[in-house]
Amino acid sequence: MLDFIQYQFMQNALISAILVSVACGLVGTYVVLKKIVSISGGISHAAFGGIGLGYFLGINPVITAIPFSILSAVFMGEISKKVDISEDTAIGILWSVGMAIGIIFINLTPGYAPDLFSYLFGSILTVPSSDLLIMLVLDIIILLMVILFRREFAAISFDEEFAEALGIRANLFYILLLAMVALSVVVLIKVVGVILIIALLTIPSAIARQFTYNLPKLMLLSIFLGMILTMSGLMLSYIYDISSGATIVLVLGMAFAVVSIARKYLFNL
Amino acid sequence: MYGDLMSSNVVSIKNMSYKIRDNYILEDITLSIKNNDFLAIIGPNGGGKSTLLKIIMGLLKPDAGSVSVFNTVPEEARGKIGYLPQITHLESDFPINVFDTVMMGRYNGIFKDYADKDEKYVMESLEAVKMADFKDKQIGNLSGGEMQRVLIARALSRRPKLLLLDEPTASIDPEMQGLFYELLKKIRKEMAVVLVSHDVGVVSSYVESIACLNGRLFSHGPVETAAKGIKEAYNFKLDLLTHETPRRILKEH
Ligand SMILES: Nc1ncnc2c1ncn2[C@@H]1O[C@H](COP(=O)(O)OP(=O)(O)OP(=O)(O)O)[C@@H](O)[C@H]1O
Ligand SMILES: [Mg+2]
């Protein structure tokens, strides 16, 4: 029954489910706690500009997405403080302009753009081994940042003004946090695609925080939930031959609904 | 020694002004706070008391004049200041307990891990505000007054040389208020204490000097002499602004 495991693509899919869950559990916890879901959505859509650039230059789009999404994260963190526009507006602009840049680059690229759909909607069954390596490296960078700057990230997520009063450069760490979101977007891009990324960055942590009040435990539980749920989605999409990105997101959404309702129901008892 | 003379000024503010969109919030403030001073800042709502504390913290930048704290710029002095903001913007649903919240006050720079000493200071601060039994409690489950005591402990845990407290006794019950002022009396031997309060009567029996602030500094000095400025300070903007928004006038003591 488990013989599909022996396929290379299935092994890669399972490894990417693990790598994706690590990024989501770590960064997603901050995204949920610091309430930067919309900005993260903006960054993930803007990353499509980097994908287009990759096609245009003829290099792996996952690589060009890295600087592109980091730049858009920095832009997001800086612009809304320097220029007198609301963060909300900045998100809207970044979101659409990033995608538009991606589309133009793809237009300018001669010939057909292969796997374009997988960058939009994700395709966990076609993640090549070379991309796994990139994802692993980014995961390690994210993990190191979380370990090294855990006090600063917690302080700015908890109470930004007081963090500043403690001598923490709140704005700098906010931008670093957004840069981490950008890195996790790149980790996720092949698996769920730019359009669905935000679901993976929020749902596992949103479920996990209903069970623990301890930040490290919250991250670990998010990672664990992420793995279980992405793998379930992967299996379902494989068995029924339906889009893997969308299936994973639906499994996550359903798990969130079931857990939230069950908890509420149990509390009322 | 000359060096000691220099460093005896904890805060020195000279001809400092701060404005928001051409409106002066603070104008031409000159004020110095010395080691072991115990100063109360009194003034009507909107008088700029919180703004002044934020300027001393370096959270706001003055438009004119100079501010130096421990003979350096405010940003560099933050390690020596304990701060209790009037309005905290903290996320009360953040997954953190009382102990870890107070531990944040011990933050001492990137890559500097907390040590046993820090835990000891945190527990001492929690005991000082009688919140040690709550150390494992989620901050989301605290009452308003309990939260305020935790935040006071967070400021104390820093073991600061300057303690800035913005309306510390708001939402604190009378018994705890008494304990709190006694506590301040004790710790002021080790640091300069500045507190913002509306409770002129209570405060003047504990503090050593008063500054009356309403846009400008109306008086500053020992309680007996400075208290005379209070009435003037409270009336100042009121005369100008009676046709604008009505402001709460404090009962005279
Ligand atoms: N962001 C802002 N934009 C415009 N005006 C502001 C802003 N922040 C503060 N002010 C103004 O600055 C003045 C001083 O405010 P501040 O908070 O320092 O007063 P306060 O003395 O602490 O008053 P309270 O007793 O109510 O705490 C007020 O008139 C207020 O309206
Ligand atoms: Mg105030």
Side-chain angles (χ1 to χ4, degrees):
Chain A
M1 202 224 139
L2 284 174
D3 50 348
F4 59 79
I5 297 277
Q6 71 202 17
Y7 297 124
Q8 176 74 44
F9 70 87
M10 199 36 111
Q11 285 169 10
N12 282 4
L14 289 171
I15 294 171
S16 47
I18 293 169
L19 293 174
V20 153
S21 305
V22 171
C24 291
L26 297 174
V27 181
T29 299
Y30 290 124
V31 168
V32 169
L33 292 178
K34 186 136 177 70
K35 306 188 170 79
I36 48 170
V37 175
S38 323
I39 294 193
S40 307
I43 295 172
S44 67
H45 282 77
F48 190 69
I51 300 291
L53 182 65
Y55 280 116
F56 181 70
L57 298 177
I59 45 183
N60 185 351
V62 174
I63 301 226
T64 45
I66 297 175
F68 203 91
S69 58
I70 289 181
L71 272 179
S72 51
V74 173
F75 175 83
M76 266 313 311
E78 282 289 307
I79 199 82
S80 51
K81 297 224 161 84
K82 297 243 160 72
V83 188
D84 205 6
I85 52 168
S86 77
E87 201 167 69
D88 192 44
T89 308
I91 293 168
I93 295 170
L94 174 78
W95 183 304
S96 45
V97 168
M99 293 218 71
I101 291 173
I103 294 167
I104 298 294
F105 272 134
I106 290 167
N107 282 162
L108 292 176
T109 309
Y112 168 70
D115 347 299
L116 182 57
F117 259 51
S118 75
Y119 290 109
L120 282 171
F121 303 110
S123 154
I124 195 170
L125 291 169
T126 61
V127 182
S129 304
S130 57
D131 284 1
L132 286 182
L133 186 65
I134 298 174
M135 290 160 74
L136 177 68
V137 170
L138 296 183
D139 264 357
I140 292 171
I141 294 174
I142 290 172
L143 184 65
L144 283 177
M145 283 174 78
V146 169
I147 292 174
L148 289 178
F149 301 130
R150 61 188 184 283
R151 283 174 231 105
E152 289 79 11
F153 286 141
I156 65 160
S157 308
F158 177 49
D159 187 346
E160 195 160 329
E161 191 193 49
F162 193 76
E164 189 82 47
L166 288 170
I168 295 173
R169 293 180 62 191
N171 201 37
L172 176 74
F173 281 99
Y174 179 58
I175 289 171
L176 264 184
L177 186 56
L178 292 184
M180 232 165 45
V181 170
L183 292 184
S184 58
V185 161
V186 178
V187 174
L188 287 157
I189 219 160
K190 260 287 169 97
V191 173
V192 276
V194 290
I195 294 174
L196 301 175
I197 279 175
I198 200 62
L200 261 105
L201 274 181
T202 49
I203 298 175
S205 302
I207 300 176
R209 74 175 305 188
Q210 304 188 32
F211 294 98
T212 175
Y213 284 113
N214 175 295
L215 194 55
K217 279 187 198 153
L218 175 51
M219 286 181 170
L220 287 176
L221 185 60
S222 307
I223 293 174
F224 177 72
L225 283 171
M227 284 181 192
I228 303 274
L229 296 170
T230 1
M231 285 184 190
S232 318
L234 163 63
M235 292 306 155
L236 286 175
S237 78
Y238 177 73
I239 294 166
Y240 295 106
D241 193 21
I242 42 181
S243 161
S244 58
T247 313
I248 290 170
V249 171
L250 281 182
V251 167
L252 285 165
M254 238 136 68
F256 179 77
V258 168
V259 168
S260 306
I261 292 168
R263 245 177 62 97
K264 198 162 177 102
Y265 181 69
L266 289 175
F267 261 124
N268 284 348
L269 273 180
Chain B
M1 251 170 63
Y2 186 61
D4 284 338
L5 272 176
M6 289 280 292
S7 60
S8 71
N9 256 5
V10 171
V11 177
S12 88
I13 300 175
K14 287 203 188 77
N15 305 104
M16 183 272 291
S17 298
Y18 176 77
K19 53 186 179 181
I20 299 179
R21 283 178 237 100
D22 295 334
N23 290 322
Y24 277 97
I25 308 295
L26 292 171
E27 202 177 349
D28 199 23
I29 307 280
T30 298
L31 172 76
S32 55
I33 301 170
K34 298 201 163 40
N35 261 336
N36 302 68
D37 260 356
F38 192 179
L39 170 73
I41 301 178
I42 312 254
N45 292 139
K49 305 179 294 297
S50 302
T51 307
L52 181 61
L53 293 197
K54 285 185 190 163
I55 287 173
I56 296 174
M57 282 303 308
L59 296 171
L60 298 174
K61 303 268 167 296
D63 294 290
S66 70
V67 177
S68 86
V69 185
F70 295 108
N71 298 316
T72 173
V73 292
E75 288 87 339
E76 299 293 321
R78 283 170 177 164
K80 294 181 186 163
I81 313 179
Y83 175 53
L84 172 78
Q86 180 180 17
I87 303 161
T88 38
H89 305 278
L90 60 80
E91 304 281 343
S92 57
D93 59 353
F94 196 83
I96 189 169
N97 62 22
V98 167
F99 184 87
D100 290 338
T101 304
V102 177
M103 190 58 114
M104 279 192 181
R106 295 295 310 162
Y107 178 82
N108 187 32
I110 296 173
F111 308 137
K112 298 230 174 75
D113 220 334
Y114 301 124
D116 294 346
K117 177 186 80 181
D118 297 305
E119 289 188 16
K120 195 180 122 231
Y121 290 166
V122 167
M123 282 320 291
E124 279 173 16
S125 313
L126 280 171
E127 271 150 25
V129 297
K130 302 264 179 294
M131 286 297 288
D133 293 344
F134 290 68
K135 72 179 175 66
D136 296 319
K137 205 164 175 178
Q138 277 311 302
I139 55 129
N141 300 334
L142 297 178
S143 76
E146 289 165 349
M147 190 68 217
Q148 181 77 348
R149 284 151 67 176
V150 169
L151 298 180
I152 292 171
R154 182 175 72 171
L156 291 175
S157 74
R158 205 157 182 71
R159 292 267 170 133
K161 289 279 148 223
L162 168 65
L163 188 60
L164 303 175
L165 305 165
D166 201 342
E167 303 204 13
T169 53
S171 77
I172 300 266
D173 64 47
E175 196 197 328
M176 189 59 214
Q177 281 194 23
L179 285 171
F180 173 70
Y181 283 114
E182 290 302 326
L183 173 72
L184 288 188
K185 251 173 137 175
K186 238 190 290 167
I187 59 175
R188 57 159 297 211
K189 293 190 192 93
E190 290 148 45
M191 62 189 84
V193 179
V194 177
L195 73 102
V196 170
S197 175
H198 287 298
D199 214 343
V200 187
V202 177
V203 156
S204 49
S205 61
Y206 288 96
V207 299
E208 167 177 283
S209 50
I210 288 184
C212 301
L213 186 68
N214 189 1
R216 300 195 314 224
L217 195 61
F218 277 78
S219 59
H220 172 221
V223 176
E224 308 78 51
T225 50
K228 292 191 192 109
I230 294 179
K231 203 173 166 198
E232 205 190 335
Y234 273 89
N235 289 333
F236 172 61
K237 257 191 195 165
L238 283 171
D239 291 343
L240 295 173
L241 297 172
T242 27
H243 16 260
E244 261 189 49
T245 43
R247 275 158 200 260
R248 193 164 66 93
I249 311 170
L250 271 132
K251 277 189 271 176
E252 281 184 47
H253 289 262

